[in-house]
Amino acid sequence: MTDRPQSNILTRRALVGSLGLAAGGLLSGCDALNANPGWRETLRLAENGNMAIQRAMLGRDGLAREYAPRDISRSVPANGTRTPADADYMRQAASGFSDWTLSIDGLVERPTRFALGQIRSMPRQTQITRHDCVEGWSAIGKWTGVNLAALLDAVKVRESARYLVFHCADTLRAGPYYESIDMVDARHPQTMIAWALNDELLPIGNGAPLRLRVERQLGYKHAKYVRRIEAVSDYRLAYGGGGGYWEDAAGYEWYAGI
Amino acid sequence: MTGMIAAMDPADPSSPAEHTPPALEAAHTHALTTRVWHWVNLVALISLFMSGLMIFNAHPRLYWGEYGNRDEPAWLAIGAQGQQGFLKVAGQQLDTTGVLGRYSDSDGMTRNRAFPGWVTIPSDYNLADARHWHFFFAWIFAFGLLVFMAVSLLNGHIRRMIAMRRAEWHPRTLWTTIVDHVRLKFHTAPGEAYNPLQKLSYIAVIFIALPLMIVTGLAMAPGTDAALHWPSMLFGGRQSARSLHFILAFALAGFLVVHVVLVIIHKPLMLLRGMTIGNRA
């Protein structure tokens, strides 16, 4: 008992000292770890777990929440590309997208090029849903468009098609924008190719004239300015292999349900 | 483990705790599950906190309700205006230059960032990497908590060490404990591992704050929200869940600071040994 006070002081000093060292070492250590390929691969195991558990909870057709008109937010901010600078897109925009077409091809029986007018005159579906950005913000808007499963049925997607790749008209710093989803999300009842937001034709910032809505995932999956949908056996063979522009350019998760 | 059981019984004559009252000894020896979970959880929570701060940096504004974005009013915002970093909370604006909103990194570069690089993982702005860290450690944290709760409820750890006795709810007992704590005098009733204030903090952290971190986190995920609507609705919307996630994270950081300070000013060596190798292991 008599030696306790002294040992306490020593221990306190040692503890405080080691805490300081730990704090300093922690940061550089974390950055070093963050650059380690093996560690990065380990971290990304979580994505498989996230997808497995969410899919188990959701089933194929679990619906994203829908809201009442009074819940609509004052805006749905434009993020990523706000105005595509691509010459072709700008020309199309100037003419009110009168020549815009949406091609659906790849592993399909009947590759088809739909005119924008055709898409807009197809049976429409409307839903008021929340758009959640990976950055953390949310907005609620009323989306109108054509059910994607209906389009897939029209072109008769083959059994061998496991993913859809959405090719977009906007080019960002690292290349053209694209996204991909699997057939579970592609055939989900709320998944649509939208052409209107809050009862008006899609604004350019929100993806005019056509964009994807895949309601159970984060905003970067909702490809804007879609001009071609390709049915593929493996999204890893497209572009940089990550399955999307941000997946390739910044390393975001392909499955963005969280 | 056997040592702990012996120490739990103050009447046990074979108890080797000659210098220390048995109850005190008991307080400083933990079951293996507790010791392993404690340190795994520490690493997980620090990683979650620091990667969470980086995730916050991607949109350093907080809202109440279902939605919130740059066109909606925020109850908390961190940012920079010109040369000045600021924190805005409930209409009040504080100059936080150098710490929040705007700071100089280790290379002397001035950066506009809500939380500075020295508290984030990674230290650079990288939302994708921060998310990878966050979700990886979220799994470790969630399953660790689940296993710890299940094991310590089943093996009586909670009942023996943390459960409040009826007498401990007495206002006078609670008041005395609070007054003693403020005076930095800590004592435990005979046969008890912790005093009532300690018990209440551990109950609040283990059974309320930590599970709420998981539920508020899941309430923000569009996939989970589509499967289970109630978490997000319970908190009043996705952005409310995000705000609560942030507030709780800082409450837990506060708990960690108080916890470490109390260990250091109390009996650091003994407590550290009890939580690592166990006292008589």
Side-chain angles (χ1 to χ4, degrees), chain A residues 14-257:
Chain A
L15 259 183
V16 172
S18 55
L19 278 177
L21 267 178
L26 189 65
L27 269 180
S28 48
C30 286
D31 282 342
L33 255 184
N34 193 46
N36 179 299
W39 174 251
R40 295 181 66 83
E41 226 167 278
T42 309
L43 286 185
R44 297 207 60 169
L45 291 175
E47 184 184 349
N48 302 334
N50 293 342
M51 182 169 175
I53 201 166
Q54 288 198 343
R55 280 288 165 83
M57 288 166 71
L58 278 165
R60 297 184 73 88
D61 293 342
L63 295 179
R65 265 197 293 156
E66 295 193 18
Y67 298 86
R70 65 171 183 279
D71 299 323
I72 292 172
S73 53
R74 73 191 80 186
S75 73
V76 178
N79 220 28
T81 305
R82 296 178 196 194
T83 310
D86 306 67
D88 182 49
Y89 181 88
M90 298 207 315
R91 206 183 55 246
Q92 297 256 20
S95 69
F97 302 106
S98 54
D99 297 330
W100 191 273
T101 57
L102 172 69
S103 302
I104 308 184
D105 54 31
L107 300 172
V108 303
E109 300 290 342
R110 274 191 251 154
T112 309
R113 180 176 291 224
F114 295 93
L116 183 59
Q118 251 178 303
I119 299 270
R120 285 180 183 157
S121 59
M122 289 172 88
R124 60 184 66 168
Q125 121 180 16
T126 290
Q127 61 212 29
I128 301 176
T129 50
R130 201 184 62 220
H131 184 85
D132 295 331
C133 180
V134 65
E135 294 169 352
W137 53 267
S138 309
I140 294 179
K142 178 181 180 183
W143 303 94
T144 301
V146 53
N147 180 261
L148 183 56
L151 285 174
L152 297 181
D153 289 339
V155 299
K156 295 201 184 302
V157 173
R158 294 202 181 122
E159 282 291 306
S160 53
R162 295 198 48 218
Y163 302 97
L164 298 180
V165 175
F166 297 82
H167 302 268
C168 306
D170 55 326
T171 306
L172 285 87
R173 213 183 324 165
Y177 201 89
Y178 79 103
E179 257 304 336
S180 63
I181 58 175
D182 67 7
M183 296 313 283
V184 173
D185 270 327
R187 291 195 169 277
H188 183 260
Q190 288 172 318
T191 300
M192 64 153 90
I193 296 297
W195 48 263
L197 168 60
N198 295 334
D199 296 320
E200 294 185 23
L201 292 180
L202 268 187
I204 286 180
N206 297 105
L210 299 174
R211 80 170 304 169
L212 172 66
R213 293 296 310 166
V214 49
E215 302 292 356
R216 303 183 299 182
Q217 297 206 44
L218 294 173
Y220 63 88
K221 298 299 289 187
H222 303 225
K224 303 194 282 191
Y225 321 109
V226 177
R227 59 180 176 189
R228 178 178 169 222
I229 303 173
E230 184 187 10
V232 298
S233 60
D234 191 351
Y235 68 79
R236 293 168 196 88
L237 302 176
Y239 298 90
Y245 174 84
W246 289 113
E247 288 88 327
D248 288 340
Y252 285 103
E253 294 90 350
W254 175 77
Y255 180 74

Side-chain angles (χ1 to χ4, degrees), chain B residues 16-77:
Chain B
E18 292 144 38
H19 303 299
T20 332
L24 196 59
E25 189 71 15
H28 306 314
T29 307
H30 297 275
L32 186 63
T33 40
T34 308
R35 285 181 268 148
V36 170
W37 176 70
H38 176 274
W39 297 107
V40 169
N41 198 46
L42 174 68
V43 171
L45 284 184
I46 288 180
S47 303
L48 281 164
F49 185 69
M50 295 174 72
S51 58
L53 295 182
M54 169 53 239
I55 294 171
F56 177 85
N57 278 359
H59 188 75
R61 294 161 61 84
L62 294 173
Y63 314 89
W64 297 115
E66 198 68 80
Y67 57 80
N69 55 60
R70 59 174 179 250
D71 298 327
E72 308 285 343
W75 70 265
L76 180 147

Side-chain angles (χ1 to χ4, degrees), chain B residues 33-34 145-160 162-163 203 206-207:
Chain B
T33 40
T34 308
L145 181 64
L146 201 68
V147 170
F148 171 74
M149 277 178 160
V151 170
S152 44
L153 280 170
L154 288 175
N155 73 8
H157 178 78
I158 300 289
R159 182 172 37 80
R160 279 198 315 269
I162 300 181
I203 290 169
I206 295 170
F207 292 97

Side-chain angles (χ1 to χ4, degrees), chain B residues 210-264:
Chain B
L210 294 181
L212 271 179
M213 283 311 283
I214 298 172
V215 183
T216 51
L218 289 176
M220 281 187 263
T224 319
D225 185 37
L228 295 175
H229 300 341
W230 65 262
S232 158
M233 291 171 91
L234 173 73
F235 302 121
R238 181 188 193 236
Q239 291 300 324
S240 296
R242 182 168 174 263
S243 288
L244 288 172
H245 198 70
F246 181 91
I247 292 168
L248 282 166
F250 276 86
L252 285 169
F255 169 81
L256 176 73
V257 169
V258 172
H259 176 68
V260 170
V261 166
L262 287 182
V263 165
I264 291 175

Side-chain angles (χ1 to χ4, degrees), chain B residues 106-230:
Chain B
S106 50
D107 301 326
M109 284 280 288
T110 302
R111 297 186 186 282
N112 286 350
R113 201 160 296 162
F115 287 104
W118 30 270
V119 291
T120 64
I121 295 177
S123 61
D124 283 342
Y125 180 94
N126 192 325
L127 177 57
D129 284 0
R131 281 167 52 83
H132 299 326
W133 280 75
H134 206 71
F135 299 138
F136 178 79
F137 283 102
W139 277 92
I140 292 179
F141 163 63
F143 275 89
L145 181 64
L146 201 68
V147 170
F148 171 74
M149 277 178 160
V151 170
S152 44
L153 280 170
L154 288 175
N155 73 8
H157 178 78
I158 300 289
R159 182 172 37 80
R160 279 198 315 269
M161 297 179 101
I162 300 181
M164 292 282 284
R165 319 293 166 208
R166 189 173 301 163
E168 290 175 328
W169 284 111
H170 197 286
R172 200 186 305 137
T173 313
L174 288 175
W175 178 246
T176 315
T177 319
I178 293 169
V179 170
D180 285 350
H181 256 262
V182 172
R183 292 178 181 151
L184 300 180
K185 284 198 294 187
F186 312 106
H187 43 73
T188 314
E192 288 295 335
Y194 298 118
N195 66 51
L197 212 56
Q198 284 175 297
K199 287 180 174 186
L200 286 175
S201 338
Y202 288 126
I203 290 169
V205 167
I206 295 170
F207 292 97
I208 300 172
L210 294 181
L212 271 179
M213 283 311 283
I214 298 172
V215 183
T216 51
L218 289 176
M220 281 187 263
T224 319
D225 185 37
L228 295 175
H229 300 341
W230 65 262

